[in-house]
Amino acid sequence: MKRVLNDSHRAFALPGARSNYGPDKRVRVEHIDLHLRPFLAERRLEGVCTTTIRALDEPVERVELDAVDLRIAQVEAPGYGCTFEHRDDRLHVHFSPAIPAGAQGNVAITYSVSNPRAGLFFILPDDDHPQRPAHAWTQSQDENARYWLPCFDYPHEKQTTSATIIVPKGLYALSNGALMEKRDEGDTTTYRYEQHVPHSTYLLTLVVGPFAEIEQGTAGKNAVPVSFSVLPGRQEDGKRSFGATPAMIECFEKKTAMPYPYARYTQIAVAEFIFGGMENTSATTQTDRTLHDARAHLDFSSDPLVSHELAHQWFGDLLTCRDWSHAWLNEGFATYFECVWREADLGWDEYLYDVFGCVARYVDEDSDRYRRPIVCNRFRDPIELFDRHLYEKGGAVLHMLRGELGEARFWRAIQTYVASNATKNVETIDLIRAIETSTGRNMRGFFDRWVFDAGHPQLDIDLRWDEERRVLIVTVDQKQTIDDTHPAFTFDLIVGSCQSLSDGGLSNVGPDAIGDERRVAMHIDGPHTTLAIHAPSRPKLVRLDPGAYVLSEMTFVFGADDLIAILAHDPDPIARIRAARALCKDGSAKARTALADALRNEPFWGVLDELCSALAKTRAPWAQELLMTALTHAHPKVRRAAAQGLGNFRDATAADALLPVAKGDASYFVQAAALTSLGKTRDERAFDVLQSFVSEHSWNGTIEAAALRGMAELADERVIDSAILCADPGRDEGLRRAVPGALARIGALIENQRSTVVQALDLLLDDAQFLVQLGAIAAAESLGDARLIPSLSRLSVSGFDGRVRRDAAEAILRIQEARSVPAQVEALRSDLDALRTENRKLAERIAALDPR
């Protein structure tokens, strides 16, 4: 079977994008000292920021600091006279006399900021959340430190820092580095922090509130103190969420051969955080959405988030990208080290499935959103780069590099990279040179193709046995566009053949050869490559790309018998997933038997998760029966996948299977999947069941949000009022985040409710909760109604966060694209009619000239 591929990819750069380069440096910033006093109720911060600078190679008469919406009261430069002016979001400080070349100077700026639009966020109780504790937190990435302190706000500037924070007694204050002093004075408490390892301004942090700090002991070579802080009442949830942190520190120290680099490590969970987490040096801020109860802990873990932010303490904090175009050296590494921790904690299968998920999420973005190189400097806002290419593709490239170099050389190269560049700013060339230094391998061609160029191979792999010649013929076709502009990818694909089947088991065996496996490296450098492997008899098992190292979309074009052997005997879980998908498409009797056997015998839940998804796509009666069997599996993630899959079958049998699960399961997520799928069946019993669960109060709104999504699938006009009520600001954020998508689905299914949906979405586009607002933008794009374009246009320019501006701009383009399709079709029809008229006239002329 050959696929027809869509060669078109949207451009990453939006209108108004430009090539971005780092600013010039006239001084080196050596230290920032902050003296801060936050006033929570007034949403105000008063401060004195003293910046120590050193002139570089010539006298410095003036400097310009980033300072947005700050009220500058005074600027002093001891030893130098100075004047200042604050305009265009920059603070211009003029020295008289100039600071001599190589000399040091201090600039002390007294300032305040009230209710800032970015950078510093005050979370206060209100009518909708009267019990919410008042607290405040900063979020300085990418270039938002300038909203709460005057600074040189770019990652290529690294300096040591100190912070003195004065808060009302009873409140806790956190900043970077070691806590040097905590003292009470009257009705206030003063905290003093010092960070002696240089770091960028986007890694500066301030958190203030009534937090409870929980000590977790020490970890690592230097016995670093480890702790976490949560708002009152969340201590046990914090232990579930952050409990593995000391073990992660030990793991990452071993892998990098670099001790944890800071004096302490603490994590603090805050409300309404606009990221998942932020890796401020020594003091990560985490979303309180990751805190979870015992029921969620059955099949939810904070470890991916916690390990990602911890890995940044090395990759991003100790080694920091010189400019944002190379930010994959921060985010790609942290994403990959999520997988590294999973391997250390849970084994090879979990690691490989994590990488497989990275590839899948990147491919989704590449195919549906845009295509770009990982390293890319053309954008409007730096935050636009923080996407699936930067994170997931970056992580997958590191996995591929591990396969290319081999285990020992890969980790030696990573350790050389870390040791050579600690405390420095880095670009991708620094990683390339570390590999060359430590292994002798010249990987510049590899990085040119996989990092500095865009895309990935799309492979159809065919397998045939020639009995007469006793040859196994492997054919690999690269199906993506290949031309002068898009050359074929070059890589080695490992092909293993086994004359007997190993009984070593399937789970967590790693990428090494098994039994009598014979491996050949198949060199791929063109659109069509064929390899012939001589063998005494037809191999019992053929293994392709053990370890799934090749970053690609891969389809097996095999016979059922070969696929069945892979599903039952290949120790590589990704190979089994690919075989299961192909067997679901095959649908023959022996394929169905093999899939049923896999549901009984497959040891790894990840394979069964993907199997259930593939079964659902067939919409075949036999697949529905297998999914109903999987609905009773012991592993909750398999039950979840089965419940999701049954939503593809709109009949009473599927509803009968889903109803008891929708009413209760040990797992939040299994019950939630069943609720949403029950709505998709459109069974007459679904409305009452779903309506009863919309009023639940579950962890992170999991159950009620799923019920709402299920109701949106019913095409029932009664749903619209429930959906709008769920948007009430007093409801759980998790439920409110589901509302925009539910509204868009209702608008798509029920035409006479479309105007009501548009009005509701228009309001949500300005929602105070950031993630709800992002959901509303996505829903507006999904609905495709032009009446939402004016609000989206406003957000594309004035949204407080670059992600809002980017998503709104993309949504407008998608809506306009969708609206242009009917016009294009009409134009093509008109052209076709004109051609038909011309052809008729031409035929008449020919007939007149030639009566025959």
Side-chain angles (χ1 to χ4, degrees):
M1 178 186 69
K2 302 299 180 186
R3 292 170 291 164
V4 178
L5 299 173
N6 179 3
D7 294 334
S8 63
H9 289 84
R10 292 178 178 85
F12 168 71
L14 292 172
R18 66 191 187 283
S19 296
N20 290 268
Y21 304 94
D24 295 335
K25 293 178 67 171
R26 302 184 64 205
V27 300
R28 181 173 71 248
V29 180
E30 296 187 338
H31 187 74
I32 294 174
D33 178 70
L34 295 170
H35 193 281
L36 303 172
R37 189 159 191 164
F39 298 87
L40 297 184
E42 292 87 357
R43 300 178 184 269
R44 181 165 55 91
L45 176 70
E46 294 183 355
V48 178
C49 175
T50 302
T51 303
T52 302
I53 59 176
R54 188 176 296 278
L56 296 179
D57 58 347
E58 59 184 25
V60 173
E61 295 178 349
R62 65 181 178 86
V63 293
E64 296 179 10
L65 290 86
D66 299 294
V68 182
D69 296 342
L70 305 182
R71 297 174 183 173
I72 308 299
Q74 180 176 294
V75 178
E76 296 178 291
Y80 302 90
C82 75
T83 60
F84 71 93
E85 52 185 337
H86 190 200
R87 66 177 191 275
D88 301 325
D89 298 333
R90 307 294 294 277
L91 177 62
H92 304 259
V93 181
H94 301 265
F95 303 104
S96 179
I99 300 174
Q104 189 184 79
N106 291 315
V107 182
I109 302 164
T110 303
Y111 71 99
S112 64
V113 59
S114 296
N115 199 23
R117 52 182 154 145
L120 172 61
F121 297 80
F122 292 91
I123 310 301
L124 303 178
D126 55 28
D127 291 342
D128 296 310
H129 309 89
Q131 304 304 315
R132 181 166 57 192
H135 59 293
W137 44 264
T138 59
Q139 171 52 43
S140 300
Q141 193 180 50
D142 46 54
E143 295 174 1
N144 287 342
R146 62 189 67 188
Y147 287 91
W148 66 278
L149 75 149
C151 59
F152 297 92
D153 199 11
Y154 200 75
H156 76 334
E157 196 72 71
K158 301 184 82 170
Q159 58 275 305
T160 58
T161 62
S162 53
T164 301
I165 309 160
I166 302 172
V167 297
K169 189 177 292 185
L171 295 188
Y172 173 78
L174 177 65
S175 192
N176 309 84
L179 177 61
M180 306 303 294
E181 182 183 20
K182 176 187 175 183
R183 70 177 187 274
D184 293 330
E185 292 180 313
D187 59 356
T188 66
T189 302
T190 298
Y191 291 81
R192 171 76 179 178
Y193 290 92
E194 294 182 3
Q195 176 59 281
H196 298 296
V197 182
H199 60 138
S200 299
T201 51
Y202 81 89
L203 297 167
L204 279 166
T205 186
L206 168 68
V207 184
V208 175
F211 293 92
E213 185 177 20
I214 309 298
E215 300 291 341
Q216 295 178 273
T218 60
K221 181 179 180 180
N222 295 328
V224 174
V226 182
S227 65
F228 66 83
S229 298
V230 293
L231 290 169
R234 304 303 301 272
Q235 288 90 330
E236 291 303 314
D237 293 345
K239 291 175 183 177
R240 276 184 286 268
S241 299
F242 305 131
T245 305
M248 292 176 186
I249 291 174
E250 304 275 355
C251 173
F252 293 168
E253 283 193 348
K254 179 179 179 181
K255 291 298 185 182
T256 63
M258 173 67 69
Y260 174 81
Y262 304 108
R264 65 183 304 202
Y265 187 60
T266 189
Q267 298 170 88
I268 190 163
V270 303
E272 298 193 18
F273 198 54
I274 59 174
F275 285 88
M278 181 60 214
E279 64 275 11
N280 313 301
T281 55
S282 77
T284 289
T285 304
Q286 304 280 28
T287 172
D288 67 354
R289 295 184 301 276
T290 201
L291 302 176
H292 56 279
D293 60 22
R295 184 181 176 192
H297 201 59
L298 290 173
D299 52 344
F300 175 85
S301 173
S302 296
D303 280 8
L305 175 63
V306 173
S307 58
H308 182 104
E309 304 307 333
L310 175 64
H312 271 310
Q313 301 296 312
W314 287 264
F315 303 104
D317 294 11
L318 187 64
L319 288 73
T320 309
C321 62
R322 183 173 298 277
D323 63 64
W324 295 116
S325 65
H326 292 270
W328 85 281
L329 297 171
N330 298 10
E331 300 299 348
F333 268 82
T335 300
Y336 182 67
F337 268 71
E338 292 179 44
C339 307
V340 170
W341 166 249
R342 189 175 291 267
E343 180 183 7
D345 185 43
L346 299 173
W348 177 258
D349 284 7
E350 294 272 1
Y351 161 82
L352 210 56
Y353 190 52
D354 224 16
V355 173
F356 182 72
C358 287
V359 173
R361 291 189 294 277
Y362 148 68
V363 167
D364 282 348
E365 181 173 83
D366 175 85
S367 60
D368 187 55
R369 194 177 180 193
Y370 50 66
R371 168 170 287 181
R372 73 173 182 88
I374 293 177
V375 174
C376 170
N377 79 333
R378 192 165 181 79
F379 49 83
R380 300 187 311 175
D381 296 303
I383 198 65
E384 293 179 3
L385 295 171
F386 287 70
D387 62 3
R388 302 299 190 189
H389 286 69
L390 197 75
Y391 287 72
E392 280 87 347
K393 187 180 183 184
V397 164
L398 289 172
H399 173 67
M400 189 174 184
L401 186 63
R402 183 175 176 178
E404 179 74 20
L405 295 176
E407 195 72 4
R409 282 185 296 187
F410 173 75
W411 288 113
R412 189 162 68 246
I414 296 299
Q415 291 165 7
T416 300
Y417 170 62
V418 173
S420 301
N421 295 285
T423 75
K424 299 177 183 178
N425 289 101
V426 288
E427 296 176 315
T428 303
I429 189 63
D430 297 301
L431 174 59
I432 296 170
R433 287 172 176 156
I435 296 169
E436 292 176 351
T437 298
S438 59
T439 71
R441 290 287 302 274
N442 185 339
M443 301 300 294
R444 293 174 190 240
F446 175 94
F447 280 87
D448 277 349
R449 198 66 178 98
W450 299 97
V451 175
F452 293 104
D453 203 353
H456 57 274
Q458 295 168 291
L459 308 177
D460 279 352
I461 304 179
D462 199 357
L463 189 68
R464 183 168 61 86
W465 171 252
D466 186 328
E467 181 64 35
E468 182 177 345
R469 294 190 297 154
R470 295 192 177 277
V471 169
L472 179 70
I473 301 172
V474 182
T475 303
V476 177
D477 290 316
Q478 295 196 50
K479 304 302 292 183
Q480 76 279 4
T481 298
I482 298 176
D483 54 28
D484 291 342
T485 308
H486 307 90
F489 283 84
T490 300
F491 55 93
D492 287 343
L493 180 73
I494 302 300
V495 180
S497 59
C498 302
Q499 295 302 126
S500 60
L501 296 176
S502 172
D503 59 358
L506 295 179
S507 186
N508 280 327
V509 297
D512 296 333
I514 58 169
D516 62 359
E517 180 183 354
R518 176 192 171 200
R519 289 188 173 182
V520 177
M522 183 178 183
H523 186 66
I524 312 294
D525 59 4
H528 181 83
T529 308
T530 299
L531 173 70
I533 302 174
H534 292 273
S537 60
R538 182 186 182 98
K540 295 289 178 58
L541 175 66
V542 178
R543 306 189 66 201
L544 289 168
D545 190 25
Y549 287 113
V550 179
L551 200 172
S552 66
E553 294 177 81
M554 187 180 294
T555 300
F556 291 168
V557 189
F558 288 10
D561 289 337
D562 290 314
L563 293 169
I564 290 168
I566 293 170
L567 181 60
H569 299 287
D570 195 319
D572 189 300
I574 309 309
R576 302 202 299 276
I577 287 168
R578 290 169 173 154
R581 289 175 173 175
L583 286 168
C584 286
K585 293 178 180 178
D586 180 289
S588 63
K590 57 184 176 182
R592 297 198 300 269
T593 298
L595 293 168
D597 288 343
L599 283 173
R600 288 190 295 270
N601 302 320
E602 169 60 49
F604 180 47
W605 69 267
V607 174
L608 295 179
D609 184 306
E610 301 293 333
L611 170 55
C612 287
S613 177
L615 288 170
K617 290 176 182 176
T618 71
R619 298 180 183 268
W622 60 267
Q624 181 180 358
E625 292 178 7
L626 291 179
L627 286 170
M628 289 191 295
T629 299
L631 202 57
T632 61
H633 197 278
H635 201 295
K637 291 184 179 179
V638 178
R639 298 200 304 278
R640 184 199 311 191
Q644 289 171 337
L646 284 170
N648 278 20
F649 300 88
R650 194 173 293 173
D651 59 35
T653 304
D656 288 341
L658 288 166
L659 273 166
V661 185
K663 292 177 180 178
D665 186 275
S667 162
Y668 283 123
F669 303 100
V670 177
Q671 184 180 1
L675 284 164
T676 300
S677 289
L678 180 61
K680 291 180 178 180
T681 69
R682 300 205 180 155
D683 188 87
E684 62 183 9
R685 297 164 288 179
F687 181 86
D688 290 339
V689 173
L690 295 172
Q691 181 71 45
S692 69
F693 281 104
V694 162
S695 300
E696 284 279 301
H697 295 282
S698 63
W699 169 74
N700 276 0
T702 303
I703 298 300
E704 52 267 41
L708 177 62
R709 284 190 288 266
M711 291 178 72
E713 298 287 345
L714 292 175
D716 188 322
E717 292 189 15
R718 294 176 292 174
V719 171
I720 185 71
D721 290 337
S722 293
I724 292 173
L725 285 173
C726 288
D728 184 275
R731 301 299 298 272
D732 188 282
E733 182 185 357
L735 172 61
R736 300 190 72 245
R737 288 169 61 190
V739 171
L743 287 170
R745 184 63 175 156
I746 293 166
L749 293 175
I750 311 173
E751 183 63 32
N752 65 3
Q753 296 292 338
R754 197 174 180 91
S755 292
T756 303
V757 165
V758 168
Q759 292 173 10
L761 283 178
D762 202 47
L763 290 173
L764 290 173
L765 285 171
D766 290 312
D767 197 84
Q769 289 184 315
F770 174 70
L771 295 177
V772 176
Q773 185 181 41
L774 286 185
I777 295 171
E781 178 182 313
S782 173
L783 188 63
D785 196 296
R787 288 173 288 182
L788 293 166
I789 287 180
S791 291
L792 290 168
S793 296
R794 173 174 48 79
L795 289 176
S796 72
V797 175
S798 62
F800 87 91
D801 187 283
R803 289 167 292 176
V804 169
R805 296 191 291 272
R806 170 93 200 186
D807 287 4
E810 285 193 34
I812 294 167
L813 293 175
R814 294 293 186 96
I815 292 170
Q816 291 173 335
E817 268 181 27
R819 285 172 57 80
S820 71
V821 169
Q824 292 171 8
V825 171
E826 190 59 38
L828 289 171
R829 284 174 177 160
S830 178
D831 291 344
L832 182 58
D833 288 342
L835 286 170
R836 285 171 175 163
T837 300
E838 289 296 322
N839 287 340
R840 187 181 71 251
K841 290 179 179 178
L842 183 60
E844 291 170 352
R845 289 177 62 192
I846 292 172
L849 292 170
D850 186 357
R852 294 174 299 174

